[in-house]
Amino acid sequence: MKWTNREEMELKEKYSSCASLRELGTYLNRSIRSIKQKAARLGLSRGLAPVNKPKNKRHRNISDKQYYEDNKKKIQHTKTKRLKRIKIEMINLLGGRCSKCGYNHCWAALEFHHNTSDKEGNMAHIIKNKSREKALKEGKKCILLCANCHRELHNQGS
Ligand SMILES: [Zn+2]
């Protein structure tokens, strides 16, 4: 059934409110699917629609922890995959090999050494905790060294 202008107006007005889509469906006499499709076509967003989480902060922490416990393996797997993907991307940007000895066999044995003084933090920490964009930006201040050359560089004269 075609949407009338008035219906569209009402959808625009109510879509981002806290009413559930089911309530909205009853109100507009449409299926949830039809509402979602129409909203997508109009470019509407639900914004910060309420998620199924407790309002109380302490309880929320508990539910987040519970989510982590229930999905630990999946979360860690995703994190490791992301870490590897960004690190390899950065390694490729920096030439793909140790800039001192040319080592390039294993990505895990390649490390980032800050070549400038405006260091914003340890690269491993930045890759893990900051956005990909931030990591790539910080990576431009680094040279690539293999783990051995990196240790040697930091222990010169000892
Ligand atoms: Zn090396």
Side-chain angles (χ1 to χ4, degrees), residues 98-103 110 145-150:
C98 171
S99 59
K100 208 171 154 209
C101 71
Y103 172 92
L110 286 167
L145 288 173
C146 72
N148 280 337
C149 292
H150 202 186

Side-chain angles (χ1 to χ4, degrees), residues 38-131:
K38 187 68 189 173
R41 234 171 281 138
L42 293 173
L44 302 180
S45 123
R46 288 275 287 163
L48 291 172
V51 282
N52 211 1
K53 271 188 181 182
K55 292 243 175 351
N56 178 307
K57 197 173 177 197
R58 205 170 66 89
H59 289 163
R60 203 156 57 224
N61 279 342
I62 294 171
S63 92
D64 284 348
K65 270 190 198 139
Q66 191 56 48
Y67 179 81
Y68 179 73
E69 285 304 322
D70 294 345
N71 298 280
K72 218 176 197 169
K73 274 209 173 121
K74 201 173 129 198
I75 293 172
Q76 282 169 355
H77 179 70
T78 312
K79 271 192 180 171
T80 313
K81 256 172 63 187
R82 174 183 181 273
L83 190 79
K84 184 179 173 186
R85 191 178 66 233
I86 297 178
K87 189 173 172 187
I88 290 180
E89 187 178 358
M90 289 180 54
I91 288 175
N92 289 335
L93 277 177
L94 293 174
R97 53 180 64 237
C98 171
S99 59
K100 208 171 154 209
C101 71
Y103 172 92
N104 68 348
H105 301 300
C106 174
W107 65 272
L110 286 167
E111 300 176 348
F112 304 99
H113 173 71
H114 272 82
N115 214 10
T116 58
S117 54
D118 57 340
K119 173 174 175 174
E120 271 179 44
N122 179 296
M123 269 323 292
H125 177 81
I126 292 176
I127 296 179
K128 256 188 208 159
N129 300 296
K130 306 280 168 140
S131 68

